[in-house]
Amino acid sequence: MKRILIANVAMLLLLLTFFGCGSDSDPGPSTPSCDNGPVISTVDSQDVSDCQSNDGQLTIAATGSSALEYSINGTDFQDSETFTGLGSGEYQITVRDNLGCTATSTVTISAPASTVAISDISATNSGCEQSNASLTITATGQGDLTFSINGGSAQSGNTFTGLAAGNYQVSVADGNGCSTSQSAKVLTGVSFESQVKSIFVANCILSNCHNGSNAALPDYNDFDEIKNHAADIKARTQSGNMPQNGSLTQEEKDLIACWVDDGALEN
C-alpha cells in the first residue's frame, strides 16, 4: 500500500510540473515554423485595354506547400492562382499555405494613357477598439478627382474620417473616367513600451515562467521571443488560457490584441 501511495504522489508531482506554467496553454515551441513557407516566384499581369475597362488579369506563380491559397486584397482567398476582371490599380498579392505562413508582393495593373496617380496616403491611428482614424489621399490626374475607399461611394474630398483599424483599398478617379487604386493600412497605435510591456512583466515574466529560467518556455525578456509568439499570445489571452495564474482585464486583453493586429511592433 505504501509503495502505491508513493507512486501516486510522484505521478501527481509530475502532472503538476507538466501542467503548470509550462503547460500547453502557454505559447511554446509548438508554434509552426515558416522557414519553409510559400515563396512568390513571379506575378504575370495583363493591363486593362482602357481606363474604364475591367479586363486586367493577374497570375501568381508560387512555390511551397501544395495547399496554397491566393489573395489580391489580403482578406479574400481562393484556390486558383489566376484573378480576372480586374481594373487598373495596385494589388497586394498574398499567398498562404495550410500552416498560415504567407508571402506577399505588390503588383500594379496599368491603363494606357492614364495620368491619374496616387502619390501619398497618410493615415492617423484609430485607437484600440475605436474608430478615430483618418486617411488623406494625395493624387494627380486630369479634371476633377473623386475618391473612395473599399468600393464605397465616391466623394470630392480626399480625406476619410471615423475609420477603425484595418486594411483599406483607396481608389481615385479623374475627369476622364480613369482610375487607380492602392492599399493602405490603419493602425490602432498601441505602444508596446508604454502599454503592453507592463502587462507581460506583471503577469508572464515570473519565476520559472517566461523569465528565461525555464528552457521549455520562451523568454519574454527577449522582445523577439514575444514577437515570434504574438499570434499565440493573442489567441490564448483572448480565450483566458493565459496567463496560467490569475487573469487579465478586458482592457488588457484588448491592448494585446490591438498591438498584435498592428504587426507586433517594437514601438
Side-chain angles (χ1 to χ4, degrees):
M1 177 65 71
K2 183 181 296 184
R3 184 178 303 167
I4 295 174
L5 178 59
I6 292 172
N8 287 340
V9 170
M11 180 59 71
L12 177 60
L13 290 173
L14 179 62
L15 289 173
L16 287 173
T17 300
F18 182 77
F19 287 104
C21 177
S23 75
D24 61 359
S25 64
D26 275 306
S30 60
T31 303
S33 170
C34 290
D35 291 343
N36 298 315
V39 175
I40 298 175
S41 306
T42 60
V43 180
D44 292 329
S45 62
Q46 174 182 299
D47 292 338
V48 296
S49 56
D50 61 65
C51 288
Q52 301 185 54
S53 295
N54 292 315
D55 52 4
Q57 181 173 306
L58 292 174
T59 301
I60 305 157
T63 59
S65 168
S66 58
L68 295 179
E69 295 180 307
Y70 306 85
S71 171
I72 57 173
N73 61 10
T75 301
D76 303 309
F77 285 83
Q78 65 180 41
D79 294 332
S80 173
E81 69 275 15
T82 299
F83 294 82
T84 60
L86 305 178
S88 62
E90 181 187 89
Y91 293 88
Q92 183 69 36
I93 308 299
T94 304
V95 179
R96 180 176 68 186
D97 66 15
N98 58 348
L99 296 178
C101 300
T102 60
T104 61
S105 181
T106 301
V107 177
T108 299
I109 291 180
S110 300
S114 174
T115 62
V116 61
I118 297 172
S119 57
D120 182 66
I121 302 175
S122 62
T124 62
N125 296 325
S126 68
C128 186
E129 297 295 314
Q130 299 181 47
S131 298
N132 296 325
S134 64
L135 282 175
T136 300
I137 306 105
T138 303
T140 56
Q142 298 177 347
D144 295 330
L145 301 181
T146 57
F147 305 83
S148 64
I149 57 173
N150 291 350
S153 300
Q155 63 179 45
S156 58
N158 65 334
T159 297
F160 295 84
T161 60
L163 303 178
N167 295 309
Y168 291 86
Q169 192 73 9
V170 175
S171 298
V172 181
D174 67 12
N176 295 328
C178 296
S179 64
T180 188
S181 60
Q182 190 171 312
S183 57
K185 185 173 184 178
V186 169
L187 304 180
T188 66
V190 170
S191 166
F192 177 77
E193 281 295 328
S194 63
Q195 294 175 281
V196 175
K197 185 177 180 179
S198 60
I199 302 175
F200 284 94
V201 171
N203 298 277
C204 301
I205 306 176
L206 306 174
S207 177
N208 201 39
C209 185
H210 298 300
N211 69 341
S213 63
N214 188 337
L217 296 174
D219 180 4
Y220 287 171
N221 288 304
D222 183 348
F223 176 82
D224 288 337
E225 285 289 282
I226 296 177
K227 184 177 180 67
N228 290 339
H229 295 86
D232 256 354
I233 292 170
K234 174 186 173 182
R236 295 177 192 276
T237 52
Q238 290 294 299
S239 68
N241 289 335
M242 182 180 175
Q244 187 69 17
N245 299 315
S247 61
L248 301 180
T249 66
Q250 187 59 50
E251 181 182 5
E252 290 172 327
K253 292 180 181 180
D254 290 342
L255 286 172
I256 291 173
C258 288
W259 172 74
V260 173
D261 289 344
D262 276 358
L265 304 175
E266 191 173 8
N267 56 357

